[in-house]
């Protein structure tokens, strides 16, 4: 199917949408980006194509609709020519998926609650964030990127640690990573965010900071709701 039929429903500042965009760019697939204004409302297009989760990103490839960023990355990798995003070795691929699920299922909540909650609750989640970061850093093992010499699946999945983390630290005034902590992760973050392809679709830092600063209360509410889950 022609890549010219690719559209991506995203939203400014969404690390999940960034995952899909980077995957398209690494493959050299031209696409049209349709930006949602999630803080205001959701478009009929988004609700039509992702009625189950009602979230971005959504990839539209001709008549096909693909939802969920992890699924989208794998779809892009398989549907289009270009450099492989997933590791080619089955065990490496399984491990990359394991850590991607770890990021989304085990790291997201502590991360949110360590910056957007308060007191003892916040302290507990901060400890958890550091434990999780140590586990992720160990996967780098002196490598340039998680899969070796070039950007691959896990680097893309962990994009929020590379670019969003320091912005959110600044917006909230909560320091998650001290300047002398996790040196390998910080070195990797620099490499990821300075990659020419990544840079083409990384949200501007100042705009991202303004976005999180403007929506602090909204994120506190989301964090509060998370605590009750
Ligand atoms: N598991 C989803 C998460 C996507 C997600 O949370 N997207 C946010 C934007 S960053 C969203 O659409 N939020 C709208 C909402 O929660 O209603 C994925 O990996 O694609």
């Amino acid at each position: 199917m022609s890549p010219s039929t690719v559209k991506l429903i995203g939203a400014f500042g969404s690390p999940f949408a960034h995952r899909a965009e980077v995957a398209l760019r690494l493959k050299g697939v031209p696409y049209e980006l349709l930006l949602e204004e999630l803080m205001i409302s959701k478009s009929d297009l988004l609700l039509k194509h992702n009625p189950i989760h009602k979230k971005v990103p959504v990839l539209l490839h001709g008549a096909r609709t693909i939802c969920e960023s992890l699924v989208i990355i794998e779809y892009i990798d398989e549907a289009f020519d270009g450099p492989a995003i997933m590791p080619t070795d089955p065990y490496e691929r399984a491990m990359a998926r394991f850590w991607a699920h770890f990021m989304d299922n085990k790291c997201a909540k502590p991360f949110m609650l360590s910056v957007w909650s308060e007191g003892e609750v916040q302290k507990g989640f901060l400890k958890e964030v550091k434990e999780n970061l140590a586990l992720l850093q160990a996967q780098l093992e002196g490598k340039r990127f998680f899969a070796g010499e070039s950007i691959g699946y896990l680097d893309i999945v962990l994009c929020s640690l590379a670019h969003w983390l320091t912005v959110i630290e600044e917006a909230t005034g909560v320091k998650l990573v001290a300047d002398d902590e996790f040196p390998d992760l910080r070195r990797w973050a620099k490499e990821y965010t300075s990659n020419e392809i990544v840079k083409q679709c990384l949200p501007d830092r100042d705009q991202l900071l303004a976005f999180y600063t403007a929506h602090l209360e909204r994120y506190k509410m989301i964090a509060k709701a998370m605590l009750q889950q």
Side-chain angles (χ1 to χ4, degrees):
M1 195 180 294
S2 160
S4 64
T5 57
V6 174
K7 293 181 183 180
L8 179 67
I9 309 178
F12 172 79
S14 166
F16 299 101
H18 172 77
R19 289 173 176 177
E21 251 196 294
V22 172
L24 287 168
R25 284 181 181 266
L26 285 170
K27 287 288 194 184
V29 179
Y31 61 95
E32 184 185 347
L33 182 62
L34 308 169
L35 285 177
E36 292 285 317
E37 289 276 0
L38 292 174
M39 294 294 170
I40 300 168
S41 63
K42 291 178 184 176
S43 72
D44 291 342
L45 187 76
L46 174 62
L47 298 176
K48 174 182 165 201
H49 287 284
N50 193 354
I52 298 181
H53 298 298
K54 304 177 178 66
K55 290 183 179 197
V56 301
V58 177
L59 185 74
L60 307 175
H61 184 198
R64 302 172 180 170
T65 297
I66 305 102
C67 299
E68 286 294 307
S69 61
L70 297 184
V71 179
I72 292 173
I73 300 171
E74 291 211 37
Y75 175 81
I76 291 169
D77 196 27
E78 291 176 23
F80 301 105
D81 294 335
I85 293 174
M86 296 301 291
T88 46
D89 175 76
Y91 178 69
E92 295 299 325
R93 204 156 56 236
M95 289 302 99
R97 288 186 181 124
F98 173 86
W99 290 108
H101 287 272
F102 173 79
M103 178 65 190
D104 282 10
N105 301 330
K106 295 279 281 183
C107 299
K109 184 176 174 179
F111 181 70
M112 293 281 290
L113 287 161
S114 61
V115 286
W116 282 297
S117 65
E118 284 163 4
E120 286 308 306
V121 173
Q122 182 182 37
K123 261 193 204 158
F125 283 110
L126 191 54
K127 183 171 170 282
E128 212 176 311
V129 165
K130 287 184 189 288
E131 287 164 2
N132 289 342
L133 289 177
L135 288 167
L136 289 171
Q137 177 169 264
Q139 303 315 307
L140 265 172
E141 273 180 7
K143 290 176 286 186
R144 187 166 173 218
F145 294 106
F146 282 89
E149 269 310 295
S150 50
I151 289 178
Y153 176 70
L154 197 51
D155 303 288
I156 300 174
V157 171
L158 300 180
C159 65
S160 56
L161 301 180
H163 188 57
W164 276 255
L165 188 141
T166 59
V167 174
I168 294 172
E169 280 184 330
E170 199 173 330
T172 58
V174 178
K175 192 88 178 138
L176 294 175
V177 177
D179 292 343
D180 59 350
E181 274 183 309
F182 306 113
D184 294 343
L185 271 183
R186 280 186 293 113
R187 195 258 322 135
W188 160 84
K190 231 180 223 164
E191 293 240 35
Y192 181 82
T193 54
S194 55
N195 176 275
E196 286 308 321
I197 292 177
V198 170
K199 273 199 307 197
Q200 290 164 8
C201 58
L202 213 52
D204 173 79
R205 198 180 190 285
D206 290 340
Q207 283 179 15
L208 201 56
L209 181 59
F211 174 86
Y212 281 106
T213 307
H215 296 110
L216 273 184
E217 289 310 314
R218 175 82 170 244
Y219 281 102
K220 276 186 193 166
M221 271 168 53
I222 296 173
K224 218 177 227 174
M226 265 184 167
L227 255 186
Q228 276 137 30
Q229 282 164 13

